[in-house]
Amino acid sequence: MKYFVTGASGWIGSAVTAELIANGHQVVGLARNDESAAKIRAAGAEVFRGSIDAPEELRAPADASDGVIHLAFNHDFSAHETAVATDRAVMTSILDALAGSDRPFVFASGVLGRAPAGVVATEDVPLDPATVASPRALSEIFALASVERGVRPVAVAFAPTVHGEGDHGFLASYVAMDRAAGVSGFVGDGSNTWPAVNRADAAALVALAAEKAPAGSVLHAVGEEGVKHRDIADAIGRQLHLPVRAFEPGEVTPPFQWLERFLGVSSLASSRITQELMGWTPTRPTLLEDLDAGFYTRG
């Protein structure tokens, strides 16, 4: 099969590209610049030069593919509404190309906010457009409805921490924040939890989703239902030799203040249904094992 992958040079997308190629598929990766193009070619994939900021240009590579995996998203939280609008436009263009073909459209979503704090989010509870808080979640509802247009849409809802060696994203920023503050901090008593998944396990699930997930599926890329914030802080403290305690007001300083909106969040999410449906079992190291391995604290 030939898959068009947006975000193919990114943290998750590069692992997905490698997984697809290892499974015998061809990959055409979207590259917005020379650096991204070089990474995609080095992985053994073809390159399509373009950008999610020009959604109409993505219809041609989508139309020429056997399926699309859409992972690109602008994570600049200062312009979140614009990013969501761009993402909807990208989805619209690609889905127009795939309509009537029964080809897969696998796209990224998230598990945060799918259930109230203390309740384990499961794949069989659909998002309610009347109550959903995130504009991006509305895009999931929009994309899944394309099953009525002859597309095989599949939402892969990722844990907020997709971890592993080489990560420069959320968890790496959290470690850098602690280093700058001189304390491995948590919020409250640190009992709030974050679901987590190893990048390699997540990539394997995305490839399986493209290959065989039923139309309209919601899959959870979750390896651990919830890791306590205090346990994460303890692991970072051990590696950086920092005191471990609750953050005091003002200790989170620029450029890390954007993280404050996540520090007190508590979420639980299961992937039991996904594992049974897809024959997928997370086997890679856990979040705390990756922290203890020192990937996030070297240098």
Side-chain angles (χ1 to χ4, degrees), residues 46-250:
E46 299 175 40
V47 171
F48 178 83
R49 289 298 294 263
S51 168
I52 59 173
D53 293 322
E56 67 283 353
E57 296 178 3
L58 306 184
R59 179 165 182 161
D63 191 45
S65 72
D66 296 309
V68 177
I69 299 174
H70 175 44
L71 302 173
F73 189 82
N74 181 358
H75 290 282
D76 180 0
F77 292 101
S78 67
H80 188 62
E81 291 185 4
T82 299
V84 170
T86 297
D87 192 49
R88 177 68 70 91
V90 169
M91 286 184 167
T92 299
S93 182
I94 291 173
L95 290 171
D96 284 347
L98 298 180
S101 68
D102 292 321
R103 287 176 285 174
F105 176 64
V106 180
F107 61 95
S109 186
V111 297
L112 281 182
R114 301 185 86 93
V119 177
V120 179
T122 58
E123 302 91 327
D124 56 350
V125 178
L127 295 174
D128 183 352
T131 60
V132 68
S134 169
R136 194 176 182 191
L138 292 174
S139 294
E140 175 183 319
I141 296 169
F142 165 76
L144 290 177
S146 67
V147 67
E148 299 176 0
R149 301 179 62 196
V151 180
R152 179 162 65 86
V154 181
V156 179
F158 290 94
T161 47
V162 181
H163 57 87
E165 186 172 9
D167 180 11
H168 297 289
F170 174 76
L171 194 59
S173 297
Y174 180 48
V175 172
M177 173 190 66
D178 283 349
R179 197 192 299 268
V183 57
S184 186
F186 51 87
V187 171
D189 63 1
S191 63
N192 60 305
T193 55
W194 298 338
V197 66
N198 189 285
R199 180 177 73 140
D201 286 325
L205 177 60
V206 173
L208 283 172
E211 292 167 348
K212 65 178 187 179
S217 299
V218 176
L219 308 179
H220 281 190
V222 172
E224 298 176 89
E225 288 192 1
V227 185
K228 286 186 178 180
H229 192 177
R230 175 59 192 261
D231 292 340
I232 295 170
D234 284 341
I236 295 170
R238 285 193 299 271
Q239 290 293 318
L240 293 180
H241 306 290
L242 292 175
V244 180
R245 58 169 170 77
F247 279 122
E248 296 177 0

